[in-house]
Amino acid sequence: MGDTTAYLRRGIREIICLALFFFTFLACEYLFDVRIAEFVPSSEVVIYESIVVGASVIGFFVRPFLYYRRPQTIDATSDITGVLLVSALLLMIMAVRFEVVIAGGLVACCALGYCGSTAHANFARTPCLARAAALSYAMGVLVQVFNHMAMPVGIPQQAVLVICAIAQVALLHGARRAKLRDESDPNFEPSAAGLSVDALEYGAKWHDDPEA
């Protein structure tokens, strides 16, 4: 148990990032449902929700494509995605027209898909994956429960969502910077977990040293 605790402590940033993604995705979906219900009958909410949530798939595919095909654009894309996410959430909160809510939901979920893809890729390098995944999911759900039960409805709950989205983007950006610093170290050797995630990037090292 002591070794597990030490391993989890090493990957705490990745665990928190994934927990924030779970929360922001759930909270964003709930926010969209509440806002869109102001414009359409309750029976149609699930239709628009499915369309908006489906947009997250775009973000999930864009990130690995850029990572392997256009790695030089990752930093700029990540910064833009963070700005789009926060802007889209604010747009959904303040929207007074049906079309604006839809647009905000599409952009927010697409940006969240990108953030989620990044969070999962970073998380894959975390030791004790099963325990860490359970901890991340539990933390994300507990924050959602706390936000609904302890925070007043309206602006306070929405503020928690926006703040957590900003924190998620900042932590992912920090993880990216830390990874670049580690890889610039002449003595850097990728871990087995890192190789499993970035097989194309480090494939040559596997080929040169089959015993690695």
Side-chain angles (χ1 to χ4, degrees), residues 32-139:
F32 177 81
D33 288 349
V34 171
R35 292 309 324 273
I36 203 66
E38 299 175 11
F39 302 95
V40 301
S42 57
S43 60
E44 297 181 13
V45 170
V46 66
I47 299 174
Y48 292 104
E49 177 193 330
S50 300
I51 295 172
V52 167
V53 171
S56 63
V57 176
I58 299 173
F60 266 98
F61 280 111
V62 166
R63 186 263 171 193
F65 173 80
L66 292 177
Y67 189 86
Y68 292 117
R69 302 298 181 183
R70 299 288 187 274
Q72 69 277 8
T73 66
I74 282 289
D75 283 340
T77 305
S78 298
D79 293 340
I80 293 171
T81 301
V83 173
L84 286 176
L85 172 58
V86 176
S87 300
L89 291 175
L90 293 174
L91 192 65
M92 273 200 294
I93 292 170
M94 298 184 295
V96 294
R97 295 179 56 186
F98 168 78
E99 296 84 359
V100 177
V101 175
I102 292 292
L106 289 171
V107 174
C109 283
C110 188
L112 276 172
Y114 184 94
C115 292
S117 179
T118 305
H120 279 85
N122 293 341
F123 184 82
R125 303 181 182 90
T126 304
C128 302
L129 278 177
R131 295 182 179 90
L135 179 59
S136 290
Y137 184 77
M139 289 170 61

Side-chain angles (χ1 to χ4, degrees), residues 119-195:
H120 279 85
N122 293 341
F123 184 82
R125 303 181 182 90
T126 304
C128 302
L129 278 177
R131 295 182 179 90
L135 179 59
S136 290
Y137 184 77
M139 289 170 61
V141 172
L142 285 175
V143 174
Q144 173 78 334
V145 171
F146 171 81
N147 195 35
H148 282 285
M149 297 186 66
M151 299 298 291
V153 176
I155 294 178
Q157 290 186 2
Q158 296 164 355
V160 171
L161 170 58
V162 173
I163 290 171
C164 286
I166 294 173
Q168 176 187 200
V169 171
L171 285 172
L172 290 174
H173 188 73
R176 172 66 180 167
R177 292 296 184 185
K179 182 174 183 292
L180 291 175
R181 284 197 302 270
D182 290 342
E183 291 175 357
S184 64
D185 187 343
N187 298 321
F188 171 75
E189 286 293 337
S191 64
L195 285 167

